Amino acid sequence: MAEDLLFSPFQIGRFTVKNRLGVAPMTRMSSILDSIPRRDVLDFLVTRAEKGAGIVYTEAIVTDYESAQGYPGQARLTTQRQINVWSRVVENIRRRGALSIMQMFHCGRMAWPEVNPAGRVIAPTAAVPRQNNPLTGRPYPLPDEMSRFDIEHVVNGFVETTRGAVAAGFDGIEIHGAHGYLISQFLSGYSNRRTDAYGGSAEKRYRFAHEVIHAVREAVPRDRLLLFRISNWGVADSQVSLFADQAEYQGIVRRLSEAPIDAISVSTYGYGDAAFGSGKTMARLTREATGLPILICGKVHDRRSAEEALQDADIALSGKTALLNPDWVEDLREGKALPLYKAEDANIAYTAEPLP
C-alpha cells in the first residue's frame, strides 16, 4: 500500500478529512473544576491537529448528572461555561485543518455511587461484572435495573450533551456504544438479561441504541457528523466476547447501517486480530456488513500498522502512540521506526503531569 493512501483525503458526510489518520478518544479524568478538563489536556488536542492529525476526538464526555459518571474527574458539556471552553478548542482545531469529534457516553454499571452526583448506578440488568473495579479494588456495586422512566431520562441526557457539542461547534458527535459501557451493556447478552422490549433477542437488545441514535440525530444538524462506536470487548471482564458470534455482531452492524449515522468506529485490542474464530479481523467483518465509512483503532502505531489497518477501514485511529508522540503523523510520513506502547506507558494520561 503506497504512502499516499495514508495521506490522501477521505469524504465523510459533507466533510473531507485531509488524511486517514486520527487521534482516538481517550479517557483522562482531568476535570477538577466545573467538569472542564485541564488546560494542558485541551491544548493536547489542538497540538495533535497542528501536528497533522486529520481527526481529533475528545475524551469520552459523560451525558447526565444523575448516573452517567463512572470515573472521577470526567468532563461534561451542558453548561455555557463548558460550551465556551470547548468552542475555543474546536475553533483552534479547525484552524489547523482537522475535524473535531465529541465522543459521549454513559458508564452504566461501570461506575460506583461515590462519583455520581446522585449516588446511583444503573444498568439494563441488576448484575455486576465479575472482576473488581481497578480504581477502587472493590467489587462493582449492584446497579438498579433501569425502568422505562430511567431509559427516557438517559436518552435525554445524550440529547442535552449533543446540544452542548453542537453549540460548541464540533464537526461531529460520536455515540460510545463500546467497551461495556451502558449502550454496550444493552447490546450484549452478557450484561442484558431483560425480558421486556429491551432484552432477549439481538433485535430487542438493539432497541436502546436505536432510541439513542434517533433522538440524538434530531439534535445534530445535517451538516454535522454522527458516528457510533462499537467493540467486542469491555473494560471489565475484558476476555468476554460481548457478542455471541460473528452473525450476531454483523447483524448489529447491519442495523446500524440502517440508522441515520455517518460512520462506524470499531475499537479492538489489535486491528489485525482475528475475531469470532472467523480468521477475519473486526474491520473485515464490519466491512462485510456495512457500506458506511469505518474507523479502526487498536495497536495502530507505525506506518506499517496504519497501512494494514486501512485494508478494511477508511480511517486509522491511534491512542497511546498519538498521546505520547506529538510528531506521530509526521513520523508515519517519514516511515520512522516507532515503538508499540503498552497501557502502563500511557499512565501520564491519569496524572497531574502535563501531556506531551
Side-chain angles (χ1 to χ4, degrees), residues 104-115:
M104 60 179 176
F105 76 152
H106 188 298
C107 290
R109 70 177 188 170
M110 304 306 302
W112 67 99
E114 291 82 355
V115 300

PDB file of all heavy atoms in Angstrom, residues 104-115:
ATOM      1  N   MET A 104     -19.359  10.889  23.442  1.00  0.00           N
ATOM      2  CA  MET A 104     -20.118  10.941  24.699  1.00  0.00           C
ATOM      3  C   MET A 104     -20.576   9.552  25.090  1.00  0.00           C
ATOM      4  O   MET A 104     -20.793   8.679  24.239  1.00  0.00           O
ATOM      5  CB  MET A 104     -21.316  11.876  24.554  1.00  0.00           C
ATOM      6  CG  MET A 104     -22.297  11.489  23.478  1.00  0.00           C
ATOM      7  SD  MET A 104     -23.690  12.648  23.398  1.00  0.00           S
ATOM      8  CE  MET A 104     -24.559  11.992  21.972  1.00  0.00           C
ATOM      9  N   PHE A 105     -20.711   9.366  26.410  1.00  0.00           N
ATOM     10  CA  PHE A 105     -21.132   8.054  26.884  1.00  0.00           C
ATOM     11  C   PHE A 105     -21.781   8.129  28.262  1.00  0.00           C
ATOM     12  O   PHE A 105     -21.704   9.137  28.965  1.00  0.00           O
ATOM     13  CB  PHE A 105     -19.967   7.079  26.885  1.00  0.00           C
ATOM     14  CG  PHE A 105     -18.945   7.211  28.003  1.00  0.00           C
ATOM     15  CD1 PHE A 105     -18.247   6.086  28.419  1.00  0.00           C
ATOM     16  CD2 PHE A 105     -18.644   8.422  28.609  1.00  0.00           C
ATOM     17  CE1 PHE A 105     -17.284   6.166  29.427  1.00  0.00           C
ATOM     18  CE2 PHE A 105     -17.681   8.519  29.607  1.00  0.00           C
ATOM     19  CZ  PHE A 105     -17.000   7.386  30.019  1.00  0.00           C
ATOM     20  N   HIS A 106     -22.418   7.037  28.605  1.00  0.00           N
ATOM     21  CA  HIS A 106     -22.964   6.788  29.935  1.00  0.00           C
ATOM     22  C   HIS A 106     -22.311   5.502  30.419  1.00  0.00           C
ATOM     23  O   HIS A 106     -22.305   4.502  29.720  1.00  0.00           O
ATOM     24  CB  HIS A 106     -24.483   6.631  29.851  1.00  0.00           C
ATOM     25  CG  HIS A 106     -25.177   6.558  31.174  1.00  0.00           C
ATOM     26  ND1 HIS A 106     -24.934   5.556  32.095  1.00  0.00           N
ATOM     27  CD2 HIS A 106     -26.129   7.358  31.734  1.00  0.00           C
ATOM     28  CE1 HIS A 106     -25.696   5.742  33.158  1.00  0.00           C
ATOM     29  NE2 HIS A 106     -26.424   6.834  32.969  1.00  0.00           N
ATOM     30  N   CYS A 107     -21.730   5.533  31.616  1.00  0.00           N
ATOM     31  CA  CYS A 107     -20.946   4.383  32.086  1.00  0.00           C
ATOM     32  C   CYS A 107     -21.807   3.204  32.538  1.00  0.00           C
ATOM     33  O   CYS A 107     -21.319   2.068  32.581  1.00  0.00           O
ATOM     34  CB  CYS A 107     -20.028   4.820  33.218  1.00  0.00           C
ATOM     35  SG  CYS A 107     -18.679   5.877  32.666  1.00  0.00           S
ATOM     36  N   GLY A 108     -23.069   3.459  32.876  1.00  0.00           N
ATOM     37  CA  GLY A 108     -23.895   2.345  33.316  1.00  0.00           C
ATOM     38  C   GLY A 108     -23.312   1.661  34.538  1.00  0.00           C
ATOM     39  O   GLY A 108     -22.917   2.316  35.509  1.00  0.00           O
ATOM     40  N   ARG A 109     -23.213   0.344  34.494  1.00  0.00           N
ATOM     41  CA  ARG A 109     -22.747  -0.403  35.670  1.00  0.00           C
ATOM     42  C   ARG A 109     -21.242  -0.278  35.909  1.00  0.00           C
ATOM     43  O   ARG A 109     -20.747  -0.733  36.930  1.00  0.00           O
ATOM     44  CB  ARG A 109     -23.128  -1.873  35.545  1.00  0.00           C
ATOM     45  CG  ARG A 109     -22.370  -2.667  34.489  1.00  0.00           C
ATOM     46  CD  ARG A 109     -22.810  -4.123  34.528  1.00  0.00           C
ATOM     47  NE  ARG A 109     -21.987  -4.984  33.659  1.00  0.00           N
ATOM     48  CZ  ARG A 109     -22.040  -6.304  33.660  1.00  0.00           C
ATOM     49  NH1 ARG A 109     -22.891  -6.921  34.468  1.00  0.00           N
ATOM     50  NH2 ARG A 109     -21.251  -7.010  32.867  1.00  0.00           N
ATOM     51  N   MET A 110     -20.520   0.350  34.980  1.00  0.00           N
ATOM     52  CA  MET A 110     -19.081   0.559  35.152  1.00  0.00           C
ATOM     53  C   MET A 110     -18.837   1.827  35.968  1.00  0.00           C
ATOM     54  O   MET A 110     -18.077   2.710  35.585  1.00  0.00           O
ATOM     55  CB  MET A 110     -18.396   0.658  33.793  1.00  0.00           C
ATOM     56  CG  MET A 110     -18.621  -0.531  32.892  1.00  0.00           C
ATOM     57  SD  MET A 110     -18.180  -2.080  33.694  1.00  0.00           S
ATOM     58  CE  MET A 110     -16.484  -1.763  34.083  1.00  0.00           C
ATOM     59  N   ALA A 111     -19.499   1.934  37.099  1.00  0.00           N
ATOM     60  CA  ALA A 111     -19.424   3.130  37.927  1.00  0.00           C
ATOM     61  C   ALA A 111     -19.526   2.722  39.385  1.00  0.00           C
ATOM     62  O   ALA A 111     -19.786   1.564  39.703  1.00  0.00           O
ATOM     63  CB  ALA A 111     -20.558   4.097  37.558  1.00  0.00           C
ATOM     64  N   TRP A 112     -19.331   3.685  40.262  1.00  0.00           N
ATOM     65  CA  TRP A 112     -19.623   3.456  41.671  1.00  0.00           C
ATOM     66  C   TRP A 112     -20.262   4.716  42.225  1.00  0.00           C
ATOM     67  O   TRP A 112     -20.014   5.818  41.760  1.00  0.00           O
ATOM     68  CB  TRP A 112     -18.393   3.007  42.453  1.00  0.00           C
ATOM     69  CG  TRP A 112     -17.268   3.978  42.633  1.00  0.00           C
ATOM     70  CD1 TRP A 112     -17.018   4.744  43.731  1.00  0.00           C
ATOM     71  CD2 TRP A 112     -16.214   4.281  41.703  1.00  0.00           C
ATOM     72  NE1 TRP A 112     -15.878   5.488  43.548  1.00  0.00           N
ATOM     73  CE2 TRP A 112     -15.357   5.222  42.329  1.00  0.00           C
ATOM     74  CE3 TRP A 112     -15.901   3.830  40.415  1.00  0.00           C
ATOM     75  CZ2 TRP A 112     -14.225   5.732  41.709  1.00  0.00           C
ATOM     76  CZ3 TRP A 112     -14.774   4.347  39.796  1.00  0.00           C
ATOM     77  CH2 TRP A 112     -13.953   5.267  40.432  1.00  0.00           C
ATOM     78  N   PRO A 113     -21.136   4.562  43.212  1.00  0.00           N
ATOM     79  CA  PRO A 113     -22.005   5.677  43.624  1.00  0.00           C
ATOM     80  C   PRO A 113     -21.270   6.936  44.040  1.00  0.00           C
ATOM     81  O   PRO A 113     -21.765   8.048  43.848  1.00  0.00           O
ATOM     82  CB  PRO A 113     -22.795   5.083  44.801  1.00  0.00           C
ATOM     83  CG  PRO A 113     -22.774   3.615  44.579  1.00  0.00           C
ATOM     84  CD  PRO A 113     -21.445   3.321  43.945  1.00  0.00           C
ATOM     85  N   GLU A 114     -20.056   6.794  44.609  1.00  0.00           N
ATOM     86  CA  GLU A 114     -19.356   7.958  45.137  1.00  0.00           C
ATOM     87  C   GLU A 114     -19.034   9.009  44.083  1.00  0.00           C
ATOM     88  O   GLU A 114     -18.829  10.184  44.424  1.00  0.00           O
ATOM     89  CB  GLU A 114     -18.061   7.520  45.836  1.00  0.00           C
ATOM     90  CG  GLU A 114     -18.268   6.753  47.130  1.00  0.00           C
ATOM     91  CD  GLU A 114     -18.556   5.280  46.919  1.00  0.00           C
ATOM     92  OE1 GLU A 114     -18.687   4.847  45.749  1.00  0.00           O
ATOM     93  OE2 GLU A 114     -18.667   4.541  47.917  1.00  0.00           O
ATOM     94  N   VAL A 115     -18.954   8.621  42.832  1.00  0.00           N
ATOM     95  CA  VAL A 115     -18.611   9.609  41.800  1.00  0.00           C
ATOM     96  C   VAL A 115     -19.841  10.144  41.075  1.00  0.00           C
ATOM     97  O   VAL A 115     -19.712  11.053  40.249  1.00  0.00           O
ATOM     98  CB  VAL A 115     -17.618   9.030  40.762  1.00  0.00           C
ATOM     99  CG1 VAL A 115     -16.330   8.594  41.440  1.00  0.00           C
ATOM    100  CG2 VAL A 115     -18.220   7.898  39.969  1.00  0.00           C
TER     101      VAL A 115
END
